[in-house]
Amino acid sequence: MRKEIYENGNTLVYEENAWTGRRIITINGRTLTKIKRNVYSDGAADYKVKGSYFTGITLEGPETYVIYEKLNVLQTILVFLPVIILAVIGGAIGGLVGAIASIVVASIARKSNSTIVTFVICVIATGIGFVIWFILAMFVLAGLGAIA
């Protein structure tokens, strides 16, 4: 995911790989170097990354940048609902499909401040996730010879 922020005459570009967690942060075209976990430096000042994609991300240093706002409580529940439902119903495969559905719901929730839109997307993503899980489960069961 990539986000550009223009604030106080500064341009901040925040990139984070969803699979590896690797971050690239640039301020006014200068890439910050990683000093230790969640701490980056531009040579003159240190910056600390706080939070996560689900809880909201801020970059604190000489100036504080809000990269992603924190979701409200209802949106947070809706984001985690697909993974909870599908993991309970479908075990590991359901949990994996539910996690992907949760990432989709979180992405939509970040783009829309409407809890109703988030709810509708949550229901749709959970339904699609259930269908995908069901199809995968049938393939696994057929491969094991449990169904003819």
Side-chain angles (χ1 to χ4, degrees):
M1 65 190 154
R2 176 186 167 99
K3 181 142 185 197
E4 292 186 25
I5 300 168
Y6 305 100
E7 193 174 297
N8 301 329
N10 294 323
T11 302
L12 174 95
V13 178
Y14 178 88
E15 294 180 72
E16 184 173 354
N17 185 313
W19 300 108
T20 64
R22 184 170 182 264
R23 295 180 179 133
I24 300 172
I25 304 168
T26 59
I27 298 177
N28 295 328
R30 292 187 358 218
T31 302
L32 303 182
T33 56
K34 185 174 184 175
I35 297 174
K36 55 185 175 180
R37 187 175 191 266
N38 295 333
V39 179
Y40 296 81
S41 177
D42 65 357
D46 291 346
Y47 296 87
K48 183 167 184 160
V49 177
K50 291 189 174 182
S52 70
Y53 187 69
F54 292 106
T55 61
I57 299 174
T58 59
L59 181 66
E60 297 178 355
E63 295 183 32
T64 299
Y65 299 93
V66 177
I67 298 169
Y68 288 106
E69 294 281 338
K70 184 177 180 177
L71 296 173
N72 67 40
V73 175
L74 186 57
Q75 286 177 319
T76 303
I77 292 168
L78 291 172
V79 163
F80 288 107
L81 202 58
V83 74
I84 292 168
I85 290 172
L86 291 171
V88 168
I89 293 172
I93 295 173
L96 176 65
V97 173
I100 294 168
S102 288
I103 292 170
V104 169
V105 173
S107 298
I108 300 298
R110 293 250 170 252
K111 293 177 183 163
S112 169
N113 288 332
S114 171
T115 304
I116 294 169
V117 170
T118 305
F119 175 76
V120 170
I121 295 300
C122 175
V123 170
I124 292 170
T126 304
I128 292 171
F130 180 79
V131 169
I132 291 170
W133 164 79
F134 189 78
I135 291 168
L136 287 173
M138 290 300 112
F139 279 125
V140 168
L141 289 173
L144 294 173
I147 57 175

